Amino acid sequence: MARANDEAAALIQELADLLSITGGDAFKIRAYEKAARAIAGHPDDISGLDLAGLRTIPTVGEAIAKKVLDYTTTGTIRQVEELRTQIPAGVRALTAIPTLGPKKALALYEELGVSSVEELEAAIGAGRLRGLKGFGAKTEENILRGIELMRGSGERVLVDAAAGVADEVVAALSALPQVERCEHAGSLRRMRETIGDVDVLVASTDPHPIMAAFAALPLVHEVIASGDKKTSIRTAKGLQVDLRVVPPESWGAALQYFTGSQAHNIRTREIAVKAGLKLSEYGLFDAETGELIVSETEDEVYERLGLPWVHPALREDTGEIEAALAGELPRLVTVGDLRGDLHSHTDLTDGIAPLEDMVRAAAARGLEYYAITDHAPNLFMQRMTDEKMLAQREQVRGLQASFPDLTLLHGTELNIDPDGNVDWDADFLAGFDVCVASVHSHFTQDRDAMTRRLVRACENPHVHVIGHPTARSIGRRPPVDADWDEVFRAAARTGTALEIDSFPDRLDLPADLVRRAKRLGVKFAVDTDAHSVGHHRNIRYGVGTAQRGWLTPDDVVNTWPLARLREFLRKG
């Protein structure tokens, strides 16, 4: 995605946040939030659009379009700059804490003079929040958890932010005549959910012009270090990118070395040592003579170590070496294996694109089936009604003739209430092709209550998929607390799939829980949960999470032929 889209969206979202602090109109705030999502999800670069072009983006009216135009011409939005001066920096610092809303941040500043995270921690420790209106013991607990969550994320970025930068760098460098091969490596190639820095690897015999071109890229804010073997830069948003250039004959060894986790690389080096070899980023050598044995491809390196090629997503020393030695590495699911998508939204609820646009995007992906699953009525802000949903069903049926190669499924995303019930009665639910059910509220229920809630949802014969099961938002909201093995056993017993939501700030189920659930016989759905046309691209991150969870195509229900999927959906 173009950086202009992301930066403009961030400014519009900040405008919404600032208005929340100053008591702005709730309707206008929601409009800004929706426009921010639309701009971030817009498939084309907004930097070259005029006012009329900006107004073609769904939910972006003239007033917001003018603000975006302000950004594309000046690099900022004047109203944002003005509001920043009206709100103390301390209040804005507090709003960065997950679970602490802007109004509570303002109250803490005005009532207690708290203007930093450290001062807030001290105030909680001293009991100063007690008696403050709207701040109970549970609020204090949530704030402390939010501070821990914020600090835990550190300087890391979500995988899509890192991937966007890596894709731009790889594309630019690959076009240079001196570059023979170019790929990103490191934790991004392993598809970790957050990334500390981006590693890019180039094979070339002429590194100097490559390093110069890298340092001159538009995304470069600062050159940290420069040389012919390694150059490091920092982007305007603080993300470090390290470029290494190696001789073409060292490509395979270098890619293996700079991709694996430290623990994985220690294991492969130990295997090399036991075989009388030495493994480095330059190749696999005879330990006694120093003679180069292999280095050109990763396959050669692993093969000489007595191992099959290990998929990058598995290179974490979590059993992949043992599985490789035993010949038991799985054939991991890929994006190309997916035949369908079982979770997506339109502008009928909180999506930003019309039904036909979302269907066309699904068809462009080459899918065989596609489910439209707009929100059900218990998520009150979406204003769903029986009549709206039935009217959409007729629209879906009418649209089917225009997409003969794509089977359209009409579904819904239900809300799992605190007791485990969902929207609508059994008769109404029976009319849907597929029902996803998700937790959208009451995230702080205790472990036993949350476990019962999710188990009961699995036991509902009309619930086919549990959407984003832990309800986490990476860096902003922790996962709900549940006895996950009990939930997984219920899902396996009832034939309920668990979703791997591809949104970069969800990636939910997380990979560690995916692997646990797989062992207990659970099936999965890898979905985009797309709210815009652009969100269809996020599928790479969901599949990466599935790969980190060791899933095969057979573990994922939306890799199955439609007939087999329909049989699965006849649950109960």
Side-chain angles (χ1 to χ4, degrees):
M1 175 53 61
R3 291 193 311 281
N5 297 41
D6 292 336
E7 290 170 3
L11 283 169
I12 295 295
Q13 180 59 55
E14 183 180 356
L15 181 54
D17 295 340
L18 294 172
L19 287 172
S20 295
I21 296 172
T22 58
D25 178 70
F27 177 80
K28 183 177 287 187
I29 292 166
R30 284 196 298 273
Y32 284 139
E33 290 173 340
K34 198 163 186 176
R37 292 196 298 271
I39 293 163
H42 190 62
D44 300 321
D45 189 340
I46 65 166
S47 58
L49 297 180
D50 59 13
L51 191 63
L54 290 169
R55 290 197 62 186
T56 64
I57 301 173
T59 78
V60 174
E62 184 168 359
I64 295 176
K66 286 180 178 177
K67 290 177 174 60
V68 176
L69 194 61
D70 192 13
Y71 158 75
T72 58
T73 54
T74 70
T76 188
I77 295 176
R78 278 166 287 187
Q79 189 179 356
V80 171
E81 297 293 337
E82 291 166 5
L83 284 171
R84 283 173 178 168
T85 64
Q86 296 174 24
I87 299 166
V91 177
R92 287 190 275 126
L94 294 179
T95 60
I97 301 171
T99 76
L100 184 65
K103 291 181 180 177
K104 277 189 164 61
L106 187 60
L108 288 167
Y109 179 80
E110 292 179 340
E111 299 289 332
L112 302 178
V114 170
S115 61
S116 72
V117 175
E118 292 71 24
E119 287 177 4
L120 179 54
E121 278 186 301
I124 292 173
R128 293 176 62 207
L129 270 64
R130 291 167 200 164
L132 199 63
K133 186 178 178 182
F135 290 85
K138 192 68 175 176
T139 305
E140 291 183 0
E141 182 183 324
N142 290 340
I143 291 172
L144 290 173
R145 188 191 290 187
I147 292 172
E148 182 182 352
L149 194 66
M150 181 179 70
R151 286 178 173 157
S153 63
E155 299 300 317
R156 300 180 72 83
V157 301
L158 295 178
V159 63
D160 65 322
V165 170
D167 290 347
E168 186 172 343
V169 172
V170 169
L173 297 184
S174 295
L176 298 176
Q178 299 85 0
V179 172
E180 296 190 23
R181 302 189 68 169
C182 182
E183 283 190 39
H184 66 261
S187 56
L188 178 59
R189 190 168 179 235
R190 301 198 309 275
M191 274 292 169
R192 292 288 298 268
E193 56 198 29
T194 61
I195 309 298
D197 51 58
V198 171
D199 295 292
V200 176
L201 196 64
V202 161
S204 176
T205 57
D206 188 10
H208 186 71
I210 299 169
M211 294 304 191
F214 173 58
L217 289 175
L219 58 76
V220 175
H221 178 70
E222 174 189 7
V223 177
I224 303 169
S226 180
D228 278 352
K229 290 185 178 179
K230 178 183 175 183
T231 294
S232 298
I233 63 94
R234 186 170 285 114
T235 70
K237 291 190 175 180
L239 180 63
Q240 182 170 324
V241 184
D242 298 326
L243 171 64
R244 293 175 174 86
V245 178
V246 299
E249 60 271 19
S250 298
W251 174 259
L255 191 59
Q256 190 277 334
Y257 182 88
F258 289 114
T259 293
S261 70
Q262 182 180 19
H264 176 87
N265 286 350
I266 287 172
R267 294 294 303 278
T268 54
R269 287 200 295 271
E270 287 173 347
I271 293 172
V273 169
K274 288 178 182 177
L277 306 170
K278 179 183 177 183
L279 178 62
S280 75
E281 64 265 45
Y282 296 107
L284 189 62
F285 300 87
D286 184 288
E288 285 191 11
T289 66
E291 179 187 357
L292 176 65
I293 298 173
V294 291
S295 63
E296 284 193 24
T297 70
E298 282 191 320
D299 296 71
E300 288 178 342
V301 173
Y302 278 110
E303 183 179 3
R304 185 61 182 80
L305 293 173
L307 302 169
W309 180 78
V310 179
H311 193 287
L314 301 185
R315 299 183 198 177
E316 299 284 1
D317 191 27
T318 56
E320 74 279 5
I321 298 294
E322 291 77 7
L325 288 169
E328 296 175 353
L329 282 176
R331 202 288 264 176
L332 299 180
V333 66
T334 67
V335 171
D337 292 317
L338 298 181
R339 296 172 184 259
D341 193 331
L342 301 181
H343 185 178
S344 67
H345 298 271
T346 75
D347 59 1
L348 183 62
T349 54
D350 61 342
I352 59 169
L355 171 64
E356 186 169 354
D357 289 356
M358 294 299 285
V359 171
R360 189 175 292 107
R365 287 172 56 191
L367 298 181
E368 297 175 22
Y369 48 86
Y370 179 60
I372 297 92
T373 55
D374 274 310
H375 287 288
N378 288 357
L379 199 62
F380 300 112
M381 68 186 75
Q382 303 306 333
R383 301 176 183 176
M384 179 55 72
T385 64
D386 296 11
E387 293 74 21
K388 285 182 180 180
M389 189 57 83
L390 293 174
Q392 185 186 62
R393 185 171 299 163
E394 291 307 309
Q395 279 185 286
V396 170
R397 288 172 179 166
L399 199 56
Q400 181 63 79
S402 301
F403 295 89
D405 298 324
L406 177 65
T407 298
L408 301 181
L409 304 175
H410 189 239
T412 184
E413 184 179 11
L414 303 165
N415 306 284
I416 306 173
D417 75 15
D419 294 322
N421 294 315
V422 297
D423 323 61
W424 287 311
D425 59 27
D427 288 342
F428 198 88
L429 291 175
F432 290 103
D433 296 311
V434 57
C435 291
V436 179
S438 310
V439 170
H440 290 118
S441 64
H442 299 83
F443 302 112
T444 58
Q445 279 186 306
D446 66 42
R447 183 182 182 87
D448 289 344
M450 187 61 74
T451 302
R452 286 194 301 272
R453 180 180 183 181
L454 290 167
V455 167
R456 189 171 183 191
C458 289
E459 292 173 340
N460 188 315
H462 297 287
V463 171
H464 306 108
V465 180
I466 302 296
H468 42 77
T470 77
R472 72 172 181 173
S473 180
I474 298 172
R476 292 187 295 176
R477 184 174 64 233
V480 298
D481 187 15
D483 180 340
W484 289 110
D485 285 348
E486 187 65 25
V487 174
F488 299 155
R489 281 189 284 269
R493 170 172 50 82
T494 60
T496 307
L498 298 183
E499 181 176 67
I500 299 174
D501 188 301
S502 298
F503 255 94
D505 63 351
R506 287 194 183 274
L507 300 180
D508 186 8
L509 273 180
D512 59 333
L513 291 182
V514 169
R515 199 167 176 193
R516 275 170 60 184
K518 173 182 166 72
R519 292 192 188 110
L520 291 171
V522 172
K523 295 298 183 184
F524 303 85
V526 182
D527 301 319
T528 58
D529 187 9
H531 286 61
S532 75
V533 169
H535 290 161
H536 281 273
R537 292 192 295 267
N538 289 339
I539 195 64
R540 65 192 279 201
Y541 310 121
V543 169
T545 301
Q547 292 171 338
R548 290 176 61 78
W550 292 56
L551 296 191
T552 69
D554 194 59
D555 295 318
V556 179
V557 299
N558 51 314
T559 69
W560 298 351
L562 182 58
R564 184 182 177 192
L565 176 72
R566 286 197 187 277
E567 187 63 33
F568 175 81
L569 296 177
R570 282 193 271 273
K571 170 185 175 181

